[in-house]
Amino acid sequence: MLDRLLLEELLAEVRLAPSVHNIQPTRWRLLGDDTLLLLEDISRRLPAADPSGHDVRLSHGAAIEGLSLALGRRGLQIAQVEPLSDVTVSDGLQPVARIAVAAGGELDGLADFVSTRASWRGGFRAFDPAGEAALEGLPTSSTDLVLVRDPPAVIQIAQLADEAGFHFLCDDAHRAELLRWMRLSRSDSSYERDGLSAEAMAIPGVVALGTRLVLGPLFPLLHRLGLAATLASERGKFANSAVALFHRPDGEDSLASGGAFYRAWLAMTAQGLAACPVSVLADWPASNRQLVERYCVPMRRRLVNVFRLGLAAGAPAAGRARLPVAELIV
Ligand SMILES: Cc1cc2nc3c(=O)[nH]c(=O)nc-3n(C[C@H](O)[C@H](O)[C@H](O)COP(=O)(O)O)c2cc1C
């Protein structure tokens, strides 16, 4: 059933799944003709932004969902995902899960949106009636979302996102790590491979040059002058947007949450909506608590992430930085 050629074909689709900071930590090994081993490239972890490994595990979960969608196109399916724990790291690779593949899969409608889903970090245009309808379709397609539409409430969340973002930016290690994954110039040899390109972040060329200084050596001074928060503010990006709070059962393995996270995002794409996670809102305990209380996230559910979403005012970035398939097979 599975061989190297088919795995390469599958991974060409799987690699389009989202990953935190576009670190693409997931690697694959064929264990037999119906079994795959998912491994983590531990050199790609984010000790400052993601000390618990939660976001990296969510990213693996999204990759597994990507595999499921790609298999479905070919009449195959995932029969079992067996998470592995306490497995030793070898050659910088940590086994994460054993995945059994079987015949009998079906094409999933969301598979058609794998190639067009992308993080939208540009502006939004005002909702028109079709956009309103698309938005209303979302909560019925997923029980994992609480939608916030009211513009004053969205503005309040935007302010909270700035507070949460600034909380993390004040940590030197966090900023240094973020800069390591930013690809601010096309001359960066990894621009098309991984990380966050200036284009994907919707940062104009001149501003991109300044970003390295603002997040790097100038940050302490700008902070003392009270300018750093204003310069780092992303509040404007919420103009005309709605917000979706993505929640999953308390205690759920992030591998499973990651699959649902990817499906929720694909459902937004399917509705013609552009979206981008704003993880800081879920990661900072103070903002997470506020959102859960204010927007009545159901009991025994965990606020896993938050999306800003709406109608894109512009075209998506031309290319998407991804590692070559051959590097994903180990
Ligand atoms: C768990 C997780 C958290 C993310 N958090 C953020 C975020 O806070 N801000 C952001 O701009 N993008 C975030 N992203 C989006 C990734 O940066 C994005 O998926 C990656 O750069 C690949 O680009 P693409 O989504 O356009 O394919 C997150 C993605 C994942 C999987």
Side-chain angles (χ1 to χ4, degrees), residues 290-322:
Q290 275 192 47
L291 292 173
V292 165
E293 283 167 11
R294 201 179 296 157
Y295 298 105
C296 305
V297 170
M299 296 276 283
R300 290 183 288 282
R301 304 283 293 189
R302 168 183 186 183
L303 178 62
V304 175
N305 212 305
V306 177
F307 288 95
R308 185 172 67 225
L309 77 166
L311 300 173
R320 290 160 78 188
R322 288 297 189 274

PDB file of all heavy atoms in Angstrom, residues 290-322:
ATOM      1  N   GLN A 290      -9.606  35.897  30.586  1.00  0.00           N
ATOM      2  CA  GLN A 290     -10.596  36.954  30.256  1.00  0.00           C
ATOM      3  C   GLN A 290     -11.523  36.528  29.129  1.00  0.00           C
ATOM      4  O   GLN A 290     -12.736  36.730  29.186  1.00  0.00           O
ATOM      5  CB  GLN A 290      -9.876  38.223  29.814  1.00  0.00           C
ATOM      6  CG  GLN A 290      -9.449  39.108  30.961  1.00  0.00           C
ATOM      7  CD  GLN A 290      -9.005  40.470  30.425  1.00  0.00           C
ATOM      8  OE1 GLN A 290      -9.674  41.087  29.609  1.00  0.00           O
ATOM      9  NE2 GLN A 290      -7.860  40.927  30.891  1.00  0.00           N
ATOM     10  N   LEU A 291     -10.944  35.943  28.081  1.00  0.00           N
ATOM     11  CA  LEU A 291     -11.762  35.560  26.920  1.00  0.00           C
ATOM     12  C   LEU A 291     -12.719  34.428  27.273  1.00  0.00           C
ATOM     13  O   LEU A 291     -13.893  34.436  26.868  1.00  0.00           O
ATOM     14  CB  LEU A 291     -10.858  35.152  25.751  1.00  0.00           C
ATOM     15  CG  LEU A 291     -10.040  36.287  25.131  1.00  0.00           C
ATOM     16  CD1 LEU A 291      -9.049  35.756  24.108  1.00  0.00           C
ATOM     17  CD2 LEU A 291     -10.957  37.325  24.491  1.00  0.00           C
ATOM     18  N   VAL A 292     -12.228  33.466  28.028  1.00  0.00           N
ATOM     19  CA  VAL A 292     -13.069  32.326  28.419  1.00  0.00           C
ATOM     20  C   VAL A 292     -14.274  32.820  29.210  1.00  0.00           C
ATOM     21  O   VAL A 292     -15.419  32.409  28.978  1.00  0.00           O
ATOM     22  CB  VAL A 292     -12.235  31.309  29.248  1.00  0.00           C
ATOM     23  CG1 VAL A 292     -13.131  30.320  29.981  1.00  0.00           C
ATOM     24  CG2 VAL A 292     -11.254  30.581  28.345  1.00  0.00           C
ATOM     25  N   GLU A 293     -14.000  33.766  30.128  1.00  0.00           N
ATOM     26  CA  GLU A 293     -15.097  34.265  30.976  1.00  0.00           C
ATOM     27  C   GLU A 293     -16.050  35.152  30.186  1.00  0.00           C
ATOM     28  O   GLU A 293     -17.265  34.980  30.223  1.00  0.00           O
ATOM     29  CB  GLU A 293     -14.539  35.031  32.178  1.00  0.00           C
ATOM     30  CG  GLU A 293     -14.003  34.076  33.234  1.00  0.00           C
ATOM     31  CD  GLU A 293     -13.169  34.770  34.297  1.00  0.00           C
ATOM     32  OE1 GLU A 293     -13.172  36.018  34.347  1.00  0.00           O
ATOM     33  OE2 GLU A 293     -12.495  34.046  35.067  1.00  0.00           O
ATOM     34  N   ARG A 294     -15.477  36.087  29.429  1.00  0.00           N
ATOM     35  CA  ARG A 294     -16.306  37.083  28.745  1.00  0.00           C
ATOM     36  C   ARG A 294     -17.161  36.463  27.644  1.00  0.00           C
ATOM     37  O   ARG A 294     -18.285  36.870  27.400  1.00  0.00           O
ATOM     38  CB  ARG A 294     -15.401  38.166  28.161  1.00  0.00           C
ATOM     39  CG  ARG A 294     -16.126  39.468  27.892  1.00  0.00           C
ATOM     40  CD  ARG A 294     -15.192  40.527  27.335  1.00  0.00           C
ATOM     41  NE  ARG A 294     -14.142  40.930  28.253  1.00  0.00           N
ATOM     42  CZ  ARG A 294     -12.993  41.485  27.866  1.00  0.00           C
ATOM     43  NH1 ARG A 294     -12.727  41.650  26.582  1.00  0.00           N
ATOM     44  NH2 ARG A 294     -12.098  41.852  28.740  1.00  0.00           N
ATOM     45  N   TYR A 295     -16.621  35.478  26.961  1.00  0.00           N
ATOM     46  CA  TYR A 295     -17.356  34.924  25.815  1.00  0.00           C
ATOM     47  C   TYR A 295     -17.895  33.523  26.073  1.00  0.00           C
ATOM     48  O   TYR A 295     -18.252  32.802  25.144  1.00  0.00           O
ATOM     49  CB  TYR A 295     -16.474  34.994  24.551  1.00  0.00           C
ATOM     50  CG  TYR A 295     -16.158  36.430  24.245  1.00  0.00           C
ATOM     51  CD1 TYR A 295     -14.912  36.962  24.507  1.00  0.00           C
ATOM     52  CD2 TYR A 295     -17.153  37.291  23.775  1.00  0.00           C
ATOM     53  CE1 TYR A 295     -14.648  38.311  24.298  1.00  0.00           C
ATOM     54  CE2 TYR A 295     -16.897  38.638  23.572  1.00  0.00           C
ATOM     55  CZ  TYR A 295     -15.650  39.137  23.832  1.00  0.00           C
ATOM     56  OH  TYR A 295     -15.409  40.466  23.631  1.00  0.00           O
ATOM     57  N   CYS A 296     -17.945  33.159  27.347  1.00  0.00           N
ATOM     58  CA  CYS A 296     -18.616  31.928  27.776  1.00  0.00           C
ATOM     59  C   CYS A 296     -18.141  30.700  26.994  1.00  0.00           C
ATOM     60  O   CYS A 296     -18.957  29.959  26.406  1.00  0.00           O
ATOM     61  CB  CYS A 296     -20.138  32.061  27.632  1.00  0.00           C
ATOM     62  SG  CYS A 296     -20.790  33.473  28.486  1.00  0.00           S
ATOM     63  N   VAL A 297     -16.837  30.513  26.943  1.00  0.00           N
ATOM     64  CA  VAL A 297     -16.321  29.252  26.395  1.00  0.00           C
ATOM     65  C   VAL A 297     -16.888  28.148  27.282  1.00  0.00           C
ATOM     66  O   VAL A 297     -16.836  28.253  28.514  1.00  0.00           O
ATOM     67  CB  VAL A 297     -14.771  29.261  26.397  1.00  0.00           C
ATOM     68  CG1 VAL A 297     -14.211  27.884  26.079  1.00  0.00           C
ATOM     69  CG2 VAL A 297     -14.255  30.301  25.405  1.00  0.00           C
ATOM     70  N   PRO A 298     -17.494  27.106  26.664  1.00  0.00           N
ATOM     71  CA  PRO A 298     -18.194  26.104  27.484  1.00  0.00           C
ATOM     72  C   PRO A 298     -17.303  25.468  28.557  1.00  0.00           C
ATOM     73  O   PRO A 298     -16.081  25.419  28.426  1.00  0.00           O
ATOM     74  CB  PRO A 298     -18.629  25.051  26.459  1.00  0.00           C
ATOM     75  CG  PRO A 298     -18.637  25.753  25.147  1.00  0.00           C
ATOM     76  CD  PRO A 298     -17.588  26.819  25.228  1.00  0.00           C
ATOM     77  N   MET A 299     -17.963  24.999  29.596  1.00  0.00           N
ATOM     78  CA  MET A 299     -17.269  24.315  30.710  1.00  0.00           C
ATOM     79  C   MET A 299     -16.499  23.115  30.163  1.00  0.00           C
ATOM     80  O   MET A 299     -16.929  22.503  29.189  1.00  0.00           O
ATOM     81  CB  MET A 299     -18.298  23.763  31.705  1.00  0.00           C
ATOM     82  CG  MET A 299     -19.119  24.821  32.388  1.00  0.00           C
ATOM     83  SD  MET A 299     -18.234  25.446  33.798  1.00  0.00           S
ATOM     84  CE  MET A 299     -18.507  24.113  34.961  1.00  0.00           C
ATOM     85  N   ARG A 300     -15.436  22.796  30.839  1.00  0.00           N
ATOM     86  CA  ARG A 300     -14.586  21.661  30.494  1.00  0.00           C
ATOM     87  C   ARG A 300     -14.030  21.741  29.068  1.00  0.00           C
ATOM     88  O   ARG A 300     -13.805  20.735  28.416  1.00  0.00           O
ATOM     89  CB  ARG A 300     -15.312  20.320  30.719  1.00  0.00           C
ATOM     90  CG  ARG A 300     -15.522  20.013  32.204  1.00  0.00           C
ATOM     91  CD  ARG A 300     -16.164  18.679  32.446  1.00  0.00           C
ATOM     92  NE  ARG A 300     -17.559  18.653  32.074  1.00  0.00           N
ATOM     93  CZ  ARG A 300     -18.529  19.176  32.813  1.00  0.00           C
ATOM     94  NH1 ARG A 300     -18.237  19.752  33.969  1.00  0.00           N
ATOM     95  NH2 ARG A 300     -19.781  19.125  32.420  1.00  0.00           N
ATOM     96  N   ARG A 301     -13.918  22.955  28.579  1.00  0.00           N
ATOM     97  CA  ARG A 301     -13.269  23.183  27.287  1.00  0.00           C
ATOM     98  C   ARG A 301     -12.075  24.098  27.523  1.00  0.00           C
ATOM     99  O   ARG A 301     -12.102  24.960  28.402  1.00  0.00           O
ATOM    100  CB  ARG A 301     -14.230  23.849  26.292  1.00  0.00           C
ATOM    101  CG  ARG A 301     -15.517  23.103  26.058  1.00  0.00           C
ATOM    102  CD  ARG A 301     -15.379  21.930  25.167  1.00  0.00           C
ATOM    103  NE  ARG A 301     -15.042  22.269  23.795  1.00  0.00           N
ATOM    104  CZ  ARG A 301     -15.045  21.374  22.801  1.00  0.00           C
ATOM    105  NH1 ARG A 301     -15.366  20.103  23.026  1.00  0.00           N
ATOM    106  NH2 ARG A 301     -14.718  21.738  21.582  1.00  0.00           N
ATOM    107  N   ARG A 302     -11.044  23.928  26.731  1.00  0.00           N
ATOM    108  CA  ARG A 302      -9.841  24.740  26.861  1.00  0.00           C
ATOM    109  C   ARG A 302      -9.748  25.675  25.654  1.00  0.00           C
ATOM    110  O   ARG A 302      -9.932  25.229  24.511  1.00  0.00           O
ATOM    111  CB  ARG A 302      -8.639  23.790  26.880  1.00  0.00           C
ATOM    112  CG  ARG A 302      -7.317  24.467  26.734  1.00  0.00           C
ATOM    113  CD  ARG A 302      -6.185  23.444  26.680  1.00  0.00           C
ATOM    114  NE  ARG A 302      -4.920  24.167  26.672  1.00  0.00           N
ATOM    115  CZ  ARG A 302      -3.727  23.605  26.566  1.00  0.00           C
ATOM    116  NH1 ARG A 302      -3.635  22.297  26.481  1.00  0.00           N
ATOM    117  NH2 ARG A 302      -2.640  24.325  26.553  1.00  0.00           N
ATOM    118  N   LEU A 303      -9.479  26.948  25.898  1.00  0.00           N
ATOM    119  CA  LEU A 303      -9.270  27.889  24.782  1.00  0.00           C
ATOM    120  C   LEU A 303      -7.876  27.599  24.226  1.00  0.00           C
ATOM    121  O   LEU A 303      -6.870  27.903  24.860  1.00  0.00           O
ATOM    122  CB  LEU A 303      -9.376  29.341  25.262  1.00  0.00           C
ATOM    123  CG  LEU A 303      -9.123  30.401  24.196  1.00  0.00           C
ATOM    124  CD1 LEU A 303     -10.144  30.324  23.063  1.00  0.00           C
ATOM    125  CD2 LEU A 303      -9.135  31.800  24.805  1.00  0.00           C
ATOM    126  N   VAL A 304      -7.832  26.978  23.048  1.00  0.00           N
ATOM    127  CA  VAL A 304      -6.566  26.494  22.482  1.00  0.00           C
ATOM    128  C   VAL A 304      -5.899  27.571  21.626  1.00  0.00           C
ATOM    129  O   VAL A 304      -4.686  27.724  21.631  1.00  0.00           O
ATOM    130  CB  VAL A 304      -6.807  25.224  21.636  1.00  0.00           C
ATOM    131  CG1 VAL A 304      -5.528  24.775  20.934  1.00  0.00           C
ATOM    132  CG2 VAL A 304      -7.352  24.098  22.509  1.00  0.00           C
ATOM    133  N   ASN A 305      -6.706  28.309  20.869  1.00  0.00           N
ATOM    134  CA  ASN A 305      -6.153  29.356  20.026  1.00  0.00           C
ATOM    135  C   ASN A 305      -7.266  30.340  19.675  1.00  0.00           C
ATOM    136  O   ASN A 305      -8.427  30.103  20.009  1.00  0.00           O
ATOM    137  CB  ASN A 305      -5.515  28.772  18.758  1.00  0.00           C
ATOM    138  CG  ASN A 305      -4.324  29.605  18.279  1.00  0.00           C
ATOM    139  OD1 ASN A 305      -4.458  30.801  18.072  1.00  0.00           O
ATOM    140  ND2 ASN A 305      -3.168  28.981  18.131  1.00  0.00           N
ATOM    141  N   VAL A 306      -6.880  31.406  19.023  1.00  0.00           N
ATOM    142  CA  VAL A 306      -7.842  32.444  18.636  1.00  0.00           C
ATOM    143  C   VAL A 306      -7.526  32.835  17.189  1.00  0.00           C
ATOM    144  O   VAL A 306      -6.351  32.971  16.838  1.00  0.00           O
ATOM    145  CB  VAL A 306      -7.694  33.681  19.558  1.00  0.00           C
ATOM    146  CG1 VAL A 306      -8.625  34.804  19.123  1.00  0.00           C
ATOM    147  CG2 VAL A 306      -7.958  33.299  21.013  1.00  0.00           C
ATOM    148  N   PHE A 307      -8.553  32.953  16.369  1.00  0.00           N
ATOM    149  CA  PHE A 307      -8.342  33.388  14.986  1.00  0.00           C
ATOM    150  C   PHE A 307      -8.893  34.797  14.793  1.00  0.00           C
ATOM    151  O   PHE A 307      -9.982  35.119  15.292  1.00  0.00           O
ATOM    152  CB  PHE A 307      -9.116  32.503  14.000  1.00  0.00           C
ATOM    153  CG  PHE A 307      -8.561  31.114  13.826  1.00  0.00           C
ATOM    154  CD1 PHE A 307      -9.064  30.050  14.567  1.00  0.00           C
ATOM    155  CD2 PHE A 307      -7.564  30.861  12.895  1.00  0.00           C
ATOM    156  CE1 PHE A 307      -8.576  28.765  14.382  1.00  0.00           C
ATOM    157  CE2 PHE A 307      -7.073  29.584  12.705  1.00  0.00           C
ATOM    158  CZ  PHE A 307      -7.574  28.527  13.447  1.00  0.00           C
ATOM    159  N   ARG A 308      -8.170  35.579  14.003  1.00  0.00           N
ATOM    160  CA  ARG A 308      -8.712  36.814  13.445  1.00  0.00           C
ATOM    161  C   ARG A 308      -9.155  36.410  12.041  1.00  0.00           C
ATOM    162  O   ARG A 308      -8.413  35.741  11.320  1.00  0.00           O
ATOM    163  CB  ARG A 308      -7.539  37.790  13.374  1.00  0.00           C
ATOM    164  CG  ARG A 308      -7.808  39.177  12.953  1.00  0.00           C
ATOM    165  CD  ARG A 308      -6.546  40.028  13.148  1.00  0.00           C
ATOM    166  NE  ARG A 308      -5.454  39.639  12.258  1.00  0.00           N
ATOM    167  CZ  ARG A 308      -4.202  39.492  12.641  1.00  0.00           C
ATOM    168  NH1 ARG A 308      -3.842  39.698  13.888  1.00  0.00           N
ATOM    169  NH2 ARG A 308      -3.260  39.139  11.793  1.00  0.00           N
ATOM    170  N   LEU A 309     -10.368  36.775  11.639  1.00  0.00           N
ATOM    171  CA  LEU A 309     -10.818  36.298  10.323  1.00  0.00           C
ATOM    172  C   LEU A 309     -11.775  37.277   9.667  1.00  0.00           C
ATOM    173  O   LEU A 309     -12.400  38.106  10.352  1.00  0.00           O
ATOM    174  CB  LEU A 309     -11.463  34.910  10.441  1.00  0.00           C
ATOM    175  CG  LEU A 309     -12.873  34.772  10.993  1.00  0.00           C
ATOM    176  CD1 LEU A 309     -13.403  33.393  10.688  1.00  0.00           C
ATOM    177  CD2 LEU A 309     -12.899  34.990  12.485  1.00  0.00           C
ATOM    178  N   GLY A 310     -11.853  37.185   8.363  1.00  0.00           N
ATOM    179  CA  GLY A 310     -12.743  38.081   7.637  1.00  0.00           C
ATOM    180  C   GLY A 310     -12.528  37.962   6.146  1.00  0.00           C
ATOM    181  O   GLY A 310     -12.035  36.936   5.660  1.00  0.00           O
ATOM    182  N   LEU A 311     -12.889  39.031   5.435  1.00  0.00           N
ATOM    183  CA  LEU A 311     -12.748  39.059   3.977  1.00  0.00           C
ATOM    184  C   LEU A 311     -11.427  39.752   3.649  1.00  0.00           C
ATOM    185  O   LEU A 311     -11.235  40.921   4.011  1.00  0.00           O
ATOM    186  CB  LEU A 311     -13.922  39.822   3.353  1.00  0.00           C
ATOM    187  CG  LEU A 311     -15.317  39.233   3.644  1.00  0.00           C
ATOM    188  CD1 LEU A 311     -16.409  40.161   3.117  1.00  0.00           C
ATOM    189  CD2 LEU A 311     -15.452  37.841   3.031  1.00  0.00           C
ATOM    190  N   ALA A 312     -10.534  39.024   2.992  1.00  0.00           N
ATOM    191  CA  ALA A 312      -9.205  39.573   2.699  1.00  0.00           C
ATOM    192  C   ALA A 312      -9.320  40.794   1.794  1.00  0.00           C
ATOM    193  O   ALA A 312     -10.040  40.756   0.794  1.00  0.00           O
ATOM    194  CB  ALA A 312      -8.346  38.512   2.031  1.00  0.00           C
ATOM    195  N   ALA A 313      -8.602  41.849   2.168  1.00  0.00           N
ATOM    196  CA  ALA A 313      -8.539  43.035   1.298  1.00  0.00           C
ATOM    197  C   ALA A 313      -7.246  42.932   0.508  1.00  0.00           C
ATOM    198  O   ALA A 313      -6.263  43.593   0.801  1.00  0.00           O
ATOM    199  CB  ALA A 313      -8.554  44.305   2.149  1.00  0.00           C
ATOM    200  N   GLY A 314      -7.227  42.063  -0.477  1.00  0.00           N
ATOM    201  CA  GLY A 314      -6.005  41.900  -1.267  1.00  0.00           C
ATOM    202  C   GLY A 314      -5.782  40.444  -1.618  1.00  0.00           C
ATOM    203  O   GLY A 314      -6.544  39.567  -1.195  1.00  0.00           O
ATOM    204  N   ALA A 315      -4.720  40.239  -2.391  1.00  0.00           N
ATOM    205  CA  ALA A 315      -4.414  38.883  -2.856  1.00  0.00           C
ATOM    206  C   ALA A 315      -3.465  38.205  -1.871  1.00  0.00           C
ATOM    207  O   ALA A 315      -2.679  38.878  -1.206  1.00  0.00           O
ATOM    208  CB  ALA A 315      -3.775  38.963  -4.230  1.00  0.00           C
ATOM    209  N   PRO A 316      -3.536  36.873  -1.778  1.00  0.00           N
ATOM    210  CA  PRO A 316      -2.611  36.176  -0.880  1.00  0.00           C
ATOM    211  C   PRO A 316      -1.165  36.273  -1.385  1.00  0.00           C
ATOM    212  O   PRO A 316      -0.941  36.548  -2.565  1.00  0.00           O
ATOM    213  CB  PRO A 316      -3.090  34.715  -0.934  1.00  0.00           C
ATOM    214  CG  PRO A 316      -3.931  34.603  -2.157  1.00  0.00           C
ATOM    215  CD  PRO A 316      -4.443  35.972  -2.472  1.00  0.00           C
ATOM    216  N   ALA A 317      -0.215  36.052  -0.487  1.00  0.00           N
ATOM    217  CA  ALA A 317       1.208  36.065  -0.872  1.00  0.00           C
ATOM    218  C   ALA A 317       1.421  35.005  -1.954  1.00  0.00           C
ATOM    219  O   ALA A 317       0.759  33.964  -1.950  1.00  0.00           O
ATOM    220  CB  ALA A 317       2.065  35.766   0.354  1.00  0.00           C
ATOM    221  N   ALA A 318       2.357  35.293  -2.855  1.00  0.00           N
ATOM    222  CA  ALA A 318       2.528  34.416  -4.021  1.00  0.00           C
ATOM    223  C   ALA A 318       2.967  32.996  -3.639  1.00  0.00           C
ATOM    224  O   ALA A 318       2.320  32.020  -4.007  1.00  0.00           O
ATOM    225  CB  ALA A 318       3.524  35.058  -4.973  1.00  0.00           C
ATOM    226  N   GLY A 319       4.034  32.884  -2.892  1.00  0.00           N
ATOM    227  CA  GLY A 319       4.537  31.536  -2.603  1.00  0.00           C
ATOM    228  C   GLY A 319       4.425  31.207  -1.135  1.00  0.00           C
ATOM    229  O   GLY A 319       4.172  32.082  -0.318  1.00  0.00           O
ATOM    230  N   ARG A 320       4.565  29.933  -0.806  1.00  0.00           N
ATOM    231  CA  ARG A 320       4.555  29.547   0.613  1.00  0.00           C
ATOM    232  C   ARG A 320       5.846  28.807   0.911  1.00  0.00           C
ATOM    233  O   ARG A 320       6.173  27.836   0.237  1.00  0.00           O
ATOM    234  CB  ARG A 320       3.335  28.676   0.899  1.00  0.00           C
ATOM    235  CG  ARG A 320       2.068  29.501   0.831  1.00  0.00           C
ATOM    236  CD  ARG A 320       0.892  28.613   0.629  1.00  0.00           C
ATOM    237  NE  ARG A 320       0.529  27.970   1.880  1.00  0.00           N
ATOM    238  CZ  ARG A 320      -0.395  27.011   1.948  1.00  0.00           C
ATOM    239  NH1 ARG A 320      -0.995  26.586   0.878  1.00  0.00           N
ATOM    240  NH2 ARG A 320      -0.709  26.500   3.116  1.00  0.00           N
ATOM    241  N   ALA A 321       6.557  29.312   1.912  1.00  0.00           N
ATOM    242  CA  ALA A 321       7.837  28.706   2.242  1.00  0.00           C
ATOM    243  C   ALA A 321       7.614  27.303   2.800  1.00  0.00           C
ATOM    244  O   ALA A 321       6.893  27.135   3.783  1.00  0.00           O
ATOM    245  CB  ALA A 321       8.549  29.577   3.282  1.00  0.00           C
ATOM    246  N   ARG A 322       8.215  26.322   2.165  1.00  0.00           N
ATOM    247  CA  ARG A 322       8.121  24.947   2.653  1.00  0.00           C
ATOM    248  C   ARG A 322       9.409  24.189   2.366  1.00  0.00           C
ATOM    249  O   ARG A 322      10.064  24.425   1.349  1.00  0.00           O
ATOM    250  CB  ARG A 322       6.957  24.204   1.978  1.00  0.00           C
ATOM    251  CG  ARG A 322       5.557  24.637   2.428  1.00  0.00           C
ATOM    252  CD  ARG A 322       5.308  24.365   3.894  1.00  0.00           C
ATOM    253  NE  ARG A 322       3.938  24.569   4.300  1.00  0.00           N
ATOM    254  CZ  ARG A 322       3.385  25.727   4.686  1.00  0.00           C
ATOM    255  NH1 ARG A 322       4.125  26.835   4.713  1.00  0.00           N
ATOM    256  NH2 ARG A 322       2.131  25.793   5.070  1.00  0.00           N
TER     257      ARG A 322
END
